[in-house]
């Protein structure tokens, strides 16, 4: 016996009953389809909204906080910055290239919807282990998708992360961040107003690709066995259409022709029309027959829920329509009037403006009145594994160090990170830095914008609250390493099945950890994304909150030094010496991912970040690198390989000091003539400073622990990903899936 339609669409019996109460009648199939996508986990955040309200979101420089397409902050000189992070995890697991490519396209539209020109992308990526053929296939496809779309649309990808771990087998995490800039007066919100104004659909025609796409795929778990059935739900992107759409929309905004504007992402036209109407306190009539189609025979529910890419909905005044159409024609962008703003709050779907009413629902009921669940929460009964603090010391720490190294350049070498010629520091360093120029006049302010994305599932699996606080602290320190102070956080909360109490406990704890850290560091959370049901074959991923942090470099007189060494420089470790192996990269590599996480002393962390930022701005350090995954050992190796200079250090007592991880720790390379001043400033800042040794020669030597040739370390570091993944130019099917 077939199941009821509402269940087939993913609605529960209680949700279907609530819909009938709202309508005061039984919903028809089109209305049920519209509610099903808008009340999905991906669109409604019905399992997470109750927790997200605990995040700090306000600051004097915040112009737009959570709830809009992107957060916006004032960065001075009449310039605002818009930033957003999103996930395309489930589509990328099904169709890696298009899943990643359309993730890039969607995040770009979120930015220029606010009136901002996109200037930078970042892509925190996580895949299954390198020895798994399917995980390698997904990684190749995802990186090809990001590069293929980002490079073609003309927006540089300036940084990100890449992680390979067993927890992501079958369920990769593909998070994408975009930054844009705009004149403060061009800021526009996604809301309709003015009864009689027109809703104009811009961009690509509507097809069956993406019907119930991300709104469905990201709202349930799945296994490898059923991915073929879900492949048609993955959207298909066209970066060249997106580029034309960007230019057309920005010209429309510059000429003041748009009252409100909204991109068509998850839930397609249903989302764009209901959200703009609801936010404006008005209604809207939509002529579904006027929507340009690229496939014959499409039903109204297909048109209203399709997630075909490169589409925008603009609210324009009737007298401006001719100019709107002229501009769209100039940029070769299709434009069609498909709706009208009405009094009241009803969203009506019609077959012609004077024709049959196919659906009629309160717009706010789709947008604001989705269910809100306070799901059960319960801490896991068992830790993620034994503690690495209980393991014996390694017989050869040098061998262990080599196993922890992997150069991410295989990923970012496929991206163009110098588009616009704004990139001062690109991928591979602690944070990216871009020149801050006025988006319309081109005036160079002499300042810079800094960006970083960070996550650590190992920390958060041990203690999601403390682990998330550590991730926020790491982001703040990464910005300090390029001379930037933090302005705003966006987050992508990647978690497992919310119907599992342990997952909801992890999510709640992570939110509290982020909230406490952001309050302590004075950084508001201005937007984010929640991606749930990240599971494969019934196994949840480790909790993976990803932090995107935007900062400001107040003086960009010279290029920040980055993670570099120079022959004869002194190596100084700034910050506390307390570290542990709980949740560490070394511990995970030895089958011991458990333990205890260190506490973030936010006052100490602030002193360290302020000191490091000032040292960079004043040109007192020749190189700087934060200590995070892999601890001091990995930081030394990374700086040495990137510089072609060896190191000879002492005062590292054992493998715990070498591989242990803890907050507020930075390694700096200092010219001998500036060493006294650096140490003096550290003393004045009440920050511990330990002289470890010198940058010199062609070996990496840690007294009594490691003695390796720089050539061997470099070969291992650079070769690990290319040896596993090849040239990076193909997206072929593996022999065995």
């Amino acid at each position: 016996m077939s199941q009821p339609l509402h269940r087939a669409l993913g609605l529960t019996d209680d949700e279907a009953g609530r819909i009938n109460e709202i309508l005061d009648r039984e919903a028809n199939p089109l209305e049920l389809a519209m509610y099903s996508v808008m009340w999905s986990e991906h669109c409604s955040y019905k399992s997470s909204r109750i927790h997200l309200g605990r995040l700090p979101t306000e600051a004097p420089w915040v112009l737009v906080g959570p709830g809009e397409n992107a957060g916006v902050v004032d960065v001075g000189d009449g310039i605002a910055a818009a930033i957003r992070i999103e996930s395309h995890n489930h589509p990328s697991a099904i169709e890696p290239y298009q899943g990643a490519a359309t993730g890039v396209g969607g995040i770009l539209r979120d930015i220029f919807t606010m009136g901002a020109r996109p200037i930078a992308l970042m892509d925190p990526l996580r895949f299954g282990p390198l020895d798994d053929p399917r995980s390698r296939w997904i990684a190749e496809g995802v990186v090809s998708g990001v590069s293929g779309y980002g490079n073609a649309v003309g927006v540089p990808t300036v940084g990100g992360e890449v992680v390979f771990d067993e927890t992501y087998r079958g369920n990769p995490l593909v998070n994408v961040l975009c930054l844009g800039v705009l004149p403060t007066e061009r800021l526009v919100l996604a809301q309709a107003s003015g009864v009689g104004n027109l809703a104009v659909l811009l961009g690509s025609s509507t097809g069956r690709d993406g019907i119930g796409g991300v709104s469905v795929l990201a709202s349930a778990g799945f296994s490898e066995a059923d991915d073929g059935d879900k492949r048609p739900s993955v959207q298909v992107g066209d970066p060249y259409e997106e580029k034309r759409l960007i230019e057309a929309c920005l010209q429309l905004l510059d000429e003041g022709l748009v009252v409100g504007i909204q991109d068509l992402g998850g839930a397609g036209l249903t989302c764009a029309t209901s959200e703009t109407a609801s936010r404006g306190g008005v209604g809207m009539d939509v002529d579904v027959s006027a929507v340009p189609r690229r496939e014959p025979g499409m039903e109204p529910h297909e048109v209203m829920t399709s997630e075909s890419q490169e589409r925008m909905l603009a609210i324009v005044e009737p007298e401006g329509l001719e100019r709107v159409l002229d501009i769209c024609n100039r940029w070769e962008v299709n434009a069609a009037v498909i709706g009208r703003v009405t009094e009241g709050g009803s969203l009506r779907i019609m077959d012609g403006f004077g024709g049959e009413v196919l659906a009629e629902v309160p717009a706010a009921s789709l947008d604001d009145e989705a269910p809100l669940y306070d799901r059960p929460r319960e801490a896991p009964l068992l830790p993620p594994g034994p503690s690495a603090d209980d393991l014996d010391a390694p017989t050869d720490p040098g061998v262990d160090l080599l196993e922890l190294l992997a150069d991410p350049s295989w990923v970012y070498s496929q991206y163009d990170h110098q588009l616009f010629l704004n990139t001062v520091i690109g991928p591979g360093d602690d944070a990216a830095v871009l020149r801050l120029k006025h988006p319309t006049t081109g005036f160079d302010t002499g300042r810079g914008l800094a960006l970083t994305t960070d996550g650590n599932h190992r920390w958060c699996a041990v203690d999601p609250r403390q682990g998330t606080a550590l991730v926020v602290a790491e982001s703040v320190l990464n910005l300090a390493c390029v001379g930037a102070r933090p302005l705003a956080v966006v987050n992508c909360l990647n978690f497992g099945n919310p119907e599992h109490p342990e997952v909801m406990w992890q999510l709640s704890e992570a939110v509290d950890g982020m909230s406490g850290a952001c309050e302590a560091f004075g950084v508001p959370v201005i937007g984010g994304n929640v991606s749930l049901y990240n599971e494969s074959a019934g196994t949840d991923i480790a909790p993976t909150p990803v932090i995107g942090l935007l900062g400001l470099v107040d003086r960009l007189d010279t290029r920040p030094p980055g993670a570099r060494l120079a022959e004869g420089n002194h190596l100084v470790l700034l910050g506390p010496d307390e570290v542990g192996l709980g949740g560490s990269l070394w511990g995970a590599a030895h089958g011991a991912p458990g333990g205890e996480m260190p506490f973030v002393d936010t006052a100490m962390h602030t002193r360290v970040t302020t000191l490091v930022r000032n040292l960079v701005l004043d040109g007192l350090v020749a190189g700087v690198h934060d200590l995070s995954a892999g601890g001091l050992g990995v930081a030394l190796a990374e700086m040495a390989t990137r510089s072609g200079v060896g190191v000879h250090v002492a005062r590292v007592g054992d493998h715990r000091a070498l591989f242990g991880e803890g907050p507020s720790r930075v390694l700096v390379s200092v010219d001998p003539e500036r060493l006294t001043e650096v140490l003096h400033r550290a003393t004045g800042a009440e920050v511990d400073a330990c002289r470890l040794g010198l940058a010199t020669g062609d070996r990496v030597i840690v007294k009594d622990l490691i003695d390796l040739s720089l050539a061997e370390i470099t070969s291992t570091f650079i070769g690990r990903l290319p040896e596993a993944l090849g040239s990076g130019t193909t997206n072929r099917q593996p022999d065995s899936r």
Side-chain angles (χ1 to χ4, degrees):
M1 182 175 179
S2 62
Q3 61 180 326
L5 177 60
H6 71 268
R7 291 186 190 170
L9 291 170
L11 293 165
T12 67
D13 293 345
D14 288 343
E15 289 169 349
R18 174 59 182 149
I19 291 167
N20 291 341
E21 290 177 6
I22 290 171
L23 300 181
D24 198 24
R25 57 175 171 81
E26 187 170 332
N28 67 37
L30 174 56
E31 292 164 341
L32 282 176
M34 293 167 64
Y35 277 104
S36 75
V37 290
M38 288 300 293
W39 285 15
S40 68
E41 192 69 61
H42 178 82
C43 292
S44 72
Y45 289 22
K46 56 190 175 186
S47 297
S48 58
R49 291 200 323 271
I50 195 170
H51 303 289
L52 300 178
R54 303 198 295 271
L55 294 171
T57 60
E58 297 181 353
W61 55 90
V62 175
L63 301 179
V64 178
E68 270 286 345
N69 288 288
V72 183
V73 293
D74 190 332
V75 295
D77 293 309
I79 307 170
I83 187 170
R84 170 82 173 180
I85 193 169
E86 267 282 3
S87 63
H88 243 223
N89 303 339
H90 296 79
S92 299
I94 301 300
E95 177 51 68
Y97 184 97
Q98 291 296 348
T102 53
V104 172
I107 201 73
L108 290 170
R109 291 191 297 279
D110 284 332
I111 294 301
F112 69 80
T113 294
M114 306 302 297
R117 176 174 293 280
I119 63 169
L121 293 161
M122 298 188 92
D123 62 337
L125 307 175
R126 286 162 172 81
F127 307 106
L130 279 171
D131 61 5
D132 174 39
R134 181 175 176 83
S135 295
R136 294 197 302 269
W137 173 71
I138 291 173
E140 290 181 8
V142 164
V143 174
S144 294
V146 172
S147 66
Y149 204 102
N151 293 353
V153 82
V155 178
T157 302
V158 299
E161 300 174 281
V162 62
V163 173
F164 295 88
D165 191 273
E166 179 64 35
T167 193
Y168 306 116
R169 184 191 293 264
N171 197 126
L173 300 186
V174 178
N175 297 172
V176 186
L177 176 148
C178 188
L179 172 70
V181 291
L182 67 153
T184 51
E185 68 272 11
R186 195 165 70 190
L187 177 62
V188 64
L189 302 180
Q191 61 185 37
S193 61
V195 173
N197 284 344
L198 305 175
V200 182
L201 183 61
L202 311 175
S204 293
S205 53
T206 299
R208 288 190 172 92
D209 60 303
I211 290 178
V214 69
S215 56
V216 172
L217 287 179
S219 300
F222 60 90
S223 65
E224 287 187 19
D226 64 10
D227 75 348
D229 296 334
K230 297 188 177 184
R231 193 176 300 274
S233 293
V234 178
Q235 309 95 319
V236 178
D238 179 353
Y240 304 104
E241 178 74 30
E242 181 100 342
K243 175 62 175 174
R244 296 192 296 270
L245 191 60
I246 291 173
E247 300 305 331
C249 288
L250 292 181
Q251 185 173 352
L252 292 174
L253 293 167
D254 277 338
E255 296 192 19
L257 295 168
V258 172
V259 175
I261 192 165
Q262 170 75 34
D263 81 300
L264 273 69
L269 264 175
T270 297
C271 180
T273 54
S274 64
E275 284 191 353
T276 52
S278 174
R279 291 171 181 171
V282 295
M284 189 177 293
D285 287 349
V286 177
D287 177 7
V288 72
S289 68
V291 177
R293 297 161 167 81
R294 59 172 171 263
E295 297 183 46
M298 291 185 67
E299 297 293 332
H301 76 271
E302 295 178 306
V303 175
M304 291 304 298
T305 62
S306 169
E307 295 176 8
S308 293
Q309 296 293 285
E310 291 85 42
R311 298 182 300 162
M312 302 285 286
L313 186 70
I315 309 300
V316 304
E317 297 175 345
E319 54 269 28
L321 177 62
E322 183 176 355
R323 178 58 181 159
V324 169
L325 297 178
D326 286 344
I327 290 172
C328 290
N329 183 61
R330 175 198 172 194
W331 290 106
E332 300 180 3
V333 169
N334 294 327
V337 177
I338 60 101
R340 296 185 301 210
V341 177
T342 60
E343 291 183 347
S346 290
L347 175 63
R348 298 198 303 171
I349 312 304
M350 311 173 73
D351 186 8
F353 284 125
E356 179 185 0
V357 177
L358 305 176
E360 183 172 0
V361 303
S365 70
L366 293 169
D367 182 30
D368 294 330
E369 298 178 23
L372 181 63
Y373 295 138
D374 186 4
R375 295 189 183 273
R377 300 183 294 280
E378 183 178 320
L381 295 176
L382 299 173
S387 172
D389 285 309
D390 297 330
L391 297 181
D392 293 335
T395 56
D396 188 346
V399 172
D400 286 11
L401 175 61
L402 293 174
E403 288 298 315
L404 302 183
L405 300 178
D407 179 15
S409 65
W410 179 88
V411 175
Y412 64 73
S413 64
Q414 299 181 56
Y415 304 151
D416 190 334
H417 53 269
Q418 286 294 345
L419 293 159
F420 301 134
L421 300 179
N422 279 340
T423 307
V424 178
I425 294 181
D429 267 298
D430 292 315
V433 177
L434 302 138
R435 293 181 182 87
L436 177 57
K437 298 178 181 177
H438 195 281
T440 55
T441 67
F443 170 72
D444 191 333
T445 65
R447 298 180 294 130
L449 295 174
L451 275 177
T452 183
T453 56
D454 298 285
N456 192 310
H457 67 280
R458 294 178 300 275
W459 295 347
C460 295
V462 173
D463 184 338
R465 181 188 294 244
Q466 192 60 22
T468 305
L470 285 164
V471 172
V472 174
E474 181 184 357
S475 293
V476 174
L477 187 53
N478 280 333
L479 289 194
C481 288
V482 297
R485 55 183 174 87
L487 285 180
V489 160
V490 292
N491 62 82
C492 202
L493 303 180
N494 305 279
F495 287 80
N497 189 329
E499 298 165 41
H500 299 162
E502 296 85 357
V503 170
M504 286 311 301
W505 178 83
Q506 291 169 341
L507 175 63
S508 178
E509 289 289 293
V511 167
D512 286 340
M514 186 191 314
S515 178
C518 288
E519 287 179 349
F521 299 132
V523 186
V525 179
I526 62 171
N529 173 71
V530 180
S531 175
L532 301 178
Y533 291 98
N534 288 289
E535 58 176 342
S536 184
T539 301
D540 295 307
I541 66 163
T544 313
V546 171
I547 298 296
L549 183 60
L550 172 66
L552 192 64
V553 181
D554 291 313
R555 291 185 285 114
L556 194 56
D557 304 324
T558 59
R559 185 184 188 277
R564 301 292 185 270
L565 302 175
E567 180 70 35
N569 278 2
H570 290 268
L571 297 175
V572 179
L573 178 60
L574 299 175
D577 59 5
E578 293 88 358
V579 295
L581 292 172
S584 68
L585 182 62
W586 183 85
H590 288 78
E596 295 184 3
M597 297 308 305
F599 175 75
V600 182
D601 182 338
T602 55
M604 165 61 74
H605 197 75
T606 299
R607 294 200 300 274
V608 172
T609 56
T610 301
L611 169 66
V612 171
R613 180 169 61 249
N614 289 333
L615 291 175
V616 170
L617 290 175
D618 294 342
L620 292 175
V621 291
V624 57
H625 194 16
D626 82 307
L627 274 60
S628 57
L632 176 61
V634 168
L636 286 167
E638 288 178 343
M639 294 183 79
T641 56
R642 292 171 182 173
S643 311
V645 179
V647 299
H648 194 154
V649 303
R651 299 181 181 177
V652 182
D654 55 16
H655 73 289
R656 180 186 176 95
L658 185 65
F659 298 121
E661 298 172 11
S664 318
R665 289 157 52 85
V666 179
L667 185 62
V668 294
S669 170
V670 186
D671 184 282
E673 295 183 358
R674 293 174 173 167
L675 179 62
T676 301
E677 176 65 15
V678 169
L679 296 176
H680 175 73
R681 289 202 182 193
T683 299
E686 299 182 27
V687 170
D688 291 341
C690 178
R691 295 172 58 181
L692 294 178
L694 295 174
T696 185
D698 59 2
R699 302 190 69 80
V700 172
I701 300 172
V702 180
K703 186 179 180 181
D704 297 329
L705 291 172
I706 290 176
D707 187 346
L708 294 169
S709 73
L710 182 57
E712 182 179 7
I713 290 179
T714 301
S715 175
T716 302
F717 180 64
I718 294 176
R720 175 151 285 131
L721 295 191
E723 288 171 6
L725 298 166
S727 64
T729 59
T730 61
N731 181 25
R732 60 186 182 277
Q733 194 83 359
D735 294 334
S736 173
R737 297 181 61 196

